Amino acid sequence: MLRRFFPAAFYAAMAAALLACGARGGAIGKGGGAVIIISIDTLRSDHLPAYGYTKIETPAIDEFRRDAILYERAYSHCPLTLVSHASVFTGLLPAEHGIRDNTGYDLRKDVPTLAELMKSKGYATGGAVSAIVLRGETGIRRGFDFWDDDIGIDPNFLSMGRAQRKGDETREIAQTWIAAHESKPAFFFMHLYEPHTPYEPPEPFRSRYGMSYDGDVAAADAVVGRFVEFLKRENIYDRATIILMSDHGEGLGDHGEDEHGILLYREALQVPLMVKLPGGRDHGKSVAAPVQLIDIYPTIAEAFGVAGKHEGRSLLADLPDDRKIYSETYYPRFHFGWSDLHSLIAGSNHYILSPRPELFDLSHDRAEKTNTLESNRRTYAALRDAITPYLKQAEAPKAVSDEQAKQLAALGYVGSTVSTAPGVVLPDPKDNIASSGRIKSAMLEFQDKHYDEATVQFRALLHDNPNMLDIWGMYAQALARIGKYDEAIAAAQEGLKIAPTATNLALLISHVGLEHGHPDLAEKHAKLLLTEAPSEAHNILAQAALMRHDYATATREANAMSGGKRDRPFALMLLGRIDMDQGKLVEGLASLNEALSINEAKKRPAPPKLQYFRGDALARLGRTAEAEESFRKEIAAFPADPQPYKNLILLYVTEGKTDDATQLIFSLEKSAPTPPSYVAISETLKIVGDRNGSRFWALRGLKKYPDDRQLQALMRG
């Protein structure tokens, strides 16, 4: 009836206005709504109930999914954390943004980032990460006003990839920053490292799922739930655009790889991706068309009217089913001397370029068990040609500055080997992945403190393939644990000859140098870390100076490590040690106590040696009961370190508690039956005048380690 009173043009105009209002109400960034990216590292999509998995419960992500658009087939471009996130932040494939591995590469300076885009639009930009591989020095933080990557590198880790902090700590940092920036639009990136190895879910997930990947997935879900509750409580959630994603998946043994980085099968590449728009626009929707992580950048950029150089498409556009999605990994080449891999997903076909190429039909073979290359030659030929434009040789990881190049050359780490030289035919990773079982066996021996057996297995692996960079690091660590410091340093140096910018190897040499009384060696290798891991470099440089009693230099380096902040526990530990070495026990204890308080406030466990140094200061101040408590706490946290045992034994002897001292000696042997432990026991007994006891324990150690020179010297008296 109304049409008789109003012309058709009126209704068209009204419909357009209503549609526009609806679009504004659900558009990214409109009305100053926050834009938030939640990245759950190493999460394969088929281990979430939202994608059909039934063996765990993830109530928070399930609830979020109901508010969001779910992308059924989302793919990563590289199964490595730093490489993949660089693609998310730039909308570019790895060859274009410049990062091809987790270490040794920086983001190209001429590549715009998502944070820079948001900052140009008036947004406050913040990020907090849970793994050291996303350290800001790589350029990944460019455009962020705030970037928290305050994660200590424990030299006991077998790789930098295991240096991480709990997701709840990162969540609290994120919430504090977001709450402080509610007065203006905010863009925030929150990165969780659960469920990356080692799988260590807290309760109640540990009891429910064990020490498993799924347990860590459930733990990550709980962190997401607490974060979303905060956003709702602060009235941020409804107007916000929130992207929940993962950077890559996890092998879980499906094709012989337990973790990730080496192979390019679906389990490593297919990731969860959900987008919650303001006002719940399109909530509950599912998108079946394939998408890729480089689509995140244009999704946000186009919402702000920015057209730039990116290779993806907006996730909110109509997407075709036959897109070509490229992925690569140079990890097997750089770390194991095997061939790099490249893959192209086109529709239901997945082509993997390797020395022995493969083709899989994802529509009928999601587990990728049947190679259809021979029976589907036409598709193979088409994808082989289609992948060619994507293939761009990765330059070898190299020094990031002329100064670092000079330092490397001075130390003898120059050139490259077969692992990085272009044009060399290398073994196919899938043919060699079986050796990952040998690697895992050696690592298990290491983790079980069977260091002698671990060194045997690592040595055998290197005999078969001396280009296995990561194995040189593991071998060196195992040697150090049994007191073979010179051999450990030599092994790490061999690894550095293969990859002169391998941060973990330079770090290992520095720490072993400090432990073995070689401050000059530690200092030279620490300087290699100044660009890639400056905090740890200053830490080592400070300790080297302290060993020389150069207190001015040690203090300067400790302050450089803190970056002007008084909330860096490792820096405060160093300042405390510097005071103690000068006899300023009260001042030193105050710094150590401050470091402990900060860790407790952040709900972090005390770092290695903190309680040990506190115990030392307290004992020297005559506060023996408190000293005993500190030494006990250090032993409980780090039962394989002989130093706190040694000091506590001495404390017990001075107090006449010989039975307690004896019991502690046997506890050390049980926890860490290694040469350093037997040396510590023998030396301690020698200090207190028990020469027979000293020789007894030296002999006891020699029965297991007959070639150990320190034990031989102690046996001779």
Side-chain angles (χ1 to χ4, degrees), residues 205-223:
F205 309 109
R206 180 175 300 187
S207 296
R208 193 176 303 166
Y209 304 112
M211 298 284 281
S212 68
Y213 177 81
D214 281 356
D216 255 0
V217 172
D221 175 77
V223 177

Side-chain angles (χ1 to χ4, degrees), residues 309-371:
K309 180 189 175 185
H310 47 70
E311 300 169 32
R313 297 183 60 176
S314 172
L315 293 165
L316 306 181
D318 290 329
L319 300 169
D321 291 328
D322 59 350
R323 300 178 73 191
K324 293 179 174 62
I325 297 176
Y326 170 78
S327 304
E328 69 176 37
T329 179
Y330 278 87
Y331 186 86
R333 174 182 282 266
F334 293 153
H335 296 261
F336 294 100
W338 304 335
S339 175
D340 45 287
L341 299 180
H342 308 261
S343 88
L344 198 67
I345 293 173
S348 63
N349 295 299
H350 185 195
Y351 169 59
I352 301 177
L353 174 61
S354 67
R356 287 196 304 107
E358 298 173 284
L359 179 66
F360 299 101
D361 181 355
L362 296 176
S363 63
H364 297 96
D365 180 23
R366 282 177 51 80
E368 296 180 319
K369 299 299 183 182
T370 304
N371 184 0

Side-chain angles (χ1 to χ4, degrees), residues 383-463:
L383 293 180
R384 181 192 59 198
D385 294 341
I387 201 173
T388 301
Y390 294 97
L391 304 179
K392 298 178 182 178
Q393 180 67 40
E395 294 183 2
K398 54 189 177 183
V400 295
S401 68
D402 291 340
E403 181 61 29
Q404 190 185 36
K406 293 175 184 176
Q407 293 168 351
L408 287 164
L411 291 169
Y413 307 126
V414 294
S416 64
T417 70
V418 67
S419 68
T420 56
V424 176
V425 177
L426 297 175
D428 194 314
K430 63 178 172 290
D431 294 334
N432 288 270
I433 199 68
S435 66
S436 68
R438 294 170 61 197
I439 295 169
K440 184 175 182 179
S441 173
M443 290 180 67
L444 287 173
E445 295 290 354
F446 183 98
Q447 291 166 2
D448 290 339
K449 303 184 179 67
H450 302 154
Y451 302 121
D452 277 311
E453 179 58 30
T455 60
V456 171
Q457 293 191 27
F458 287 139
R459 191 182 301 119
L461 286 162
L462 291 168
H463 178 269

Side-chain angles (χ1 to χ4, degrees), residues 15-48:
L18 288 170
L19 286 171
C21 289
R24 282 196 296 271
I28 296 172
K30 294 297 182 181
V35 178
I36 298 169
I37 298 176
I38 303 171
S39 176
I40 305 175
D41 210 290
T42 321
L43 178 56
R44 50 189 280 182
S45 59
D46 60 4
H47 272 248
L48 282 179

Side-chain angles (χ1 to χ4, degrees), residues 417-599:
T417 70
V418 67
S419 68
T420 56
V424 176
V425 177
L426 297 175
D428 194 314
K430 63 178 172 290
D431 294 334
N432 288 270
I433 199 68
S435 66
S436 68
R438 294 170 61 197
I439 295 169
K440 184 175 182 179
S441 173
M443 290 180 67
L444 287 173
E445 295 290 354
F446 183 98
Q447 291 166 2
D448 290 339
K449 303 184 179 67
H450 302 154
Y451 302 121
D452 277 311
E453 179 58 30
T455 60
V456 171
Q457 293 191 27
F458 287 139
R459 191 182 301 119
L461 286 162
L462 291 168
H463 178 269
D464 293 344
N465 182 1
N467 293 309
M468 299 177 80
L469 176 63
D470 286 12
I471 304 305
W472 282 112
M474 298 175 192
Y475 179 46
Q477 285 217 46
L479 288 166
R481 296 298 178 86
I482 57 176
K484 295 184 177 181
Y485 297 113
D486 291 337
E487 292 180 48
I489 290 169
Q493 288 174 327
E494 284 299 313
L496 274 177
K497 290 175 184 177
I498 294 173
T501 55
T503 306
N504 63 316
L505 293 174
L507 180 64
L508 190 148
I509 293 172
S510 296
H511 279 289
V512 173
L514 291 174
E515 292 173 8
H516 199 36
H518 295 312
D520 291 344
L521 183 73
E523 181 178 83
K524 289 175 182 177
H525 287 81
K527 288 179 179 178
L528 300 176
L529 304 167
L530 281 167
T531 300
E532 189 136 353
S535 179
E536 191 62 22
H538 290 301
N539 182 4
I540 294 164
L541 292 170
Q543 292 186 65
L546 180 57
M547 289 182 71
R548 300 191 194 97
H549 306 293
D550 180 355
Y551 302 122
T553 300
T555 301
R556 184 176 66 249
E557 294 293 343
N559 286 325
M561 179 189 178
S562 70
K565 298 180 180 179
R566 287 288 295 183
D567 64 349
R568 296 286 178 92
F570 282 98
L572 288 165
M573 282 176 61
L574 277 170
L575 293 170
R577 290 176 59 194
I578 294 165
D579 280 335
M580 288 171 61
D581 206 59
Q582 298 175 82
K584 302 175 183 176
L585 298 178
V586 174
E587 294 88 338
L589 181 60
S591 291
L592 296 171
N593 285 339
E594 187 178 353
L596 184 62
S597 296
I598 290 169
N599 272 282

